[in-house]
Amino acid sequence: MGRLLGIRLRFLAPWIAILFLSTAQAQAKAQAQAKPKAPNFARAFAGRDGCFELYDLKTNKLVTRYNPALCAKRISPASTFKVSLSLMAFDAGILKNETSSIKWDGTKFSRPEWNHDQTAASWMQYSVVWFSQRLTPQLGMRRVKSYLARFRYGNQDMSGGLTKAWLHSSLLISPDEQLRFWERFWREQLPVSKHAFAMTKKITFLAKSPAGWVLHGKTGSAAAVRADGALLQGAGWFVGHVARGKREYVFVTHYSDRGPPRDQRPPGWIAREISTKILGEMGLY
């Protein structure tokens, strides 16, 4: 019996070894596929001063932090502030759902998308500044400052006024702080209602890539503009969340031009384009 068992084990040993090798190779392949590739940041930012950060929500690890000095520098949040404002307004009951609307007062803006009544969804989609400026007075200074403190949102300085503080004024936040804010937002660890999280996630949805990655995010644009409207220098944000299957990340991109830009598009649009290029190179979009 012992001899027969020994023969069987000798016969099975190569097959067991092959099985273990195949399993190890499969695990190594899966790990290689799961690990984001290193992008070419210099090419992505194309002569601009840029910061990019990516945080893995599943492994709780910072994957990459390009240009640490810029990532730590506080700057105006511009329209990325709408995400925190959305959480406040839904939590306070000022906005009920994505169809909650505010009437346009007839003021003409250069962006035609702004020149009509807006819903919460269109406010976020078209980054309508006047909609934000109608929400903040309804919240009131005391409540806005309380939310910002509980969110640990940048320097929490609203001295620039309820309708302008986030627009190249007193309220400042660093890319590092934006990343932490989005991490807590997406994990639903901020002191707001479940409804506020659900609605804000809903209206920040942007796209699903051909590879199946689901993208949420918000752009932000700050710029120095000449009297004739020409862009002298732009600074753009794109902050967001990208997920597919069991993989999930939050990220932040910020850049500023080193001089007059050749591209006259809103800087936030450019920041989004830079972000999707970087994410694509990393195999995450």
Side-chain angles (χ1 to χ4, degrees), residues 228-267:
D228 61 3
L231 188 62
L232 293 174
Q233 186 178 34
W237 285 101
F238 188 54
V239 188
H241 172 271
V242 65
R244 186 184 70 180
K246 295 182 179 180
R247 301 177 68 188
E248 187 178 11
Y249 304 86
V250 288
F251 64 88
V252 56
T253 299
H254 183 268
Y255 84 86
S256 59
D257 293 309
R258 294 172 182 168
R262 289 170 292 180
D263 194 328
Q264 295 292 306
R265 292 178 298 161

Side-chain angles (χ1 to χ4, degrees), residues 103-112 114-116 130 134:
K103 287 190 174 295
W104 175 48
D105 67 2
T107 304
K108 291 284 186 178
F109 297 94
S110 59
R111 291 189 63 181
W114 294 10
N115 297 329
H116 54 75
W130 68 256
R134 299 273 285 278

Side-chain angles (χ1 to χ4, degrees), residues 81-82 84-90 92-96 100-102 119-120 123-124 128-141 143-144 162-163 166 203:
F81 176 69
K82 289 182 174 71
S84 59
L85 183 54
S86 172
L87 291 167
M88 297 179 204
F90 280 116
I94 294 169
L95 297 177
K96 304 298 182 184
S100 294
S101 63
I102 297 179
T119 64
W123 162 54
M124 196 66 70
V128 184
V129 172
W130 68 256
F131 193 103
S132 303
Q133 292 173 325
R134 299 273 285 278
L135 287 178
T136 47
Q138 291 185 65
L139 283 160
M141 182 64 82
R143 195 154 44 168
V144 170
L162 264 177
T163 60
W166 67 94
I203 65 176

